[in-house]
Amino acid sequence: VQLQASGGGLVQAGGSLRLSCVASGGSFRTYTITWFRQAPGLEREFVATIKSRGGYTFYGESVKGRFTMSRDNAKNTVYLQMNSLRPEDTAVYYCAASSSVIHSALASQNAYAHWGQGTQVTVSS
């Protein structure tokens, strides 16, 4: 499966953005999709995930209550709605997909074989 992330940009603190990740070339319904982010000089960080079955979602502590992930299987697309953005949310955001990730590994980047190209999110103070 190929992934295309989009929707990043420059926003002021407190603002909102919605990222999209469109999948092609695979059976989208069978994939768990996860967002990671990487700020300059830091390791890649788990943000949020949505499982292939039932739409179960799980969020990193730093974004819980502010970010919401959803999926539209008819459009082969997942969304990450980001509200109340903070300067520390500035990073390149990547979507990743796996058809076989187990629950305990949802937040591990090593569990994902398919990655999008990343989209830059910059939050100014």
Side-chain angles (χ1 to χ4, degrees), residues 88-115:
E88 54 263 39
D89 294 317
T90 295
V92 178
Y93 285 69
Y94 299 91
C95 55
S98 173
S99 60
S100 60
V101 58
I102 60 175
H103 186 83
S104 60
L106 286 172
S108 172
Q109 58 179 310
N110 293 329
Y112 297 87
H114 309 284
W115 290 81

Side-chain angles (χ1 to χ4, degrees), residues 40-123:
L42 300 179
E43 293 187 354
R44 196 166 292 184
E45 175 191 19
F46 167 78
V47 176
T49 191
I50 188 163
K51 293 188 73 173
S52 58
R53 306 281 184 231
Y56 167 85
T57 55
F58 176 68
Y59 299 92
E61 286 299 319
S62 62
V63 306
K64 198 174 294 184
R66 301 187 297 122
F67 291 10
T68 302
M69 194 169 176
S70 61
R71 67 190 295 158
D72 185 339
N73 288 336
K75 295 182 178 180
N76 287 0
T77 302
V78 298
Y79 303 99
L80 183 67
Q81 178 66 44
M82 306 187 296
N83 298 329
S84 301
L85 283 162
R86 304 167 180 169
E88 54 263 39
D89 294 317
T90 295
V92 178
Y93 285 69
Y94 299 91
C95 55
S98 173
S99 60
S100 60
V101 58
I102 60 175
H103 186 83
S104 60
L106 286 172
S108 172
Q109 58 179 310
N110 293 329
Y112 297 87
H114 309 284
W115 290 81
Q117 86 289 1
T119 184
Q120 175 72 47
V121 171
T122 303
V123 184

Side-chain angles (χ1 to χ4, degrees), residues 4-56:
Q4 180 75 33
S6 63
L10 173 63
V11 64
Q12 288 188 331
S16 298
L17 283 174
R18 189 177 78 159
L19 305 185
S20 299
C21 178
V22 180
S24 60
S27 182
F28 179 73
R29 294 174 183 271
T30 67
Y31 284 89
T32 291
I33 310 293
T34 298
W35 288 97
F36 293 87
R37 67 186 182 185
Q38 188 166 21
L42 300 179
E43 293 187 354
R44 196 166 292 184
E45 175 191 19
F46 167 78
V47 176
T49 191
I50 188 163
K51 293 188 73 173
S52 58
R53 306 281 184 231
Y56 167 85

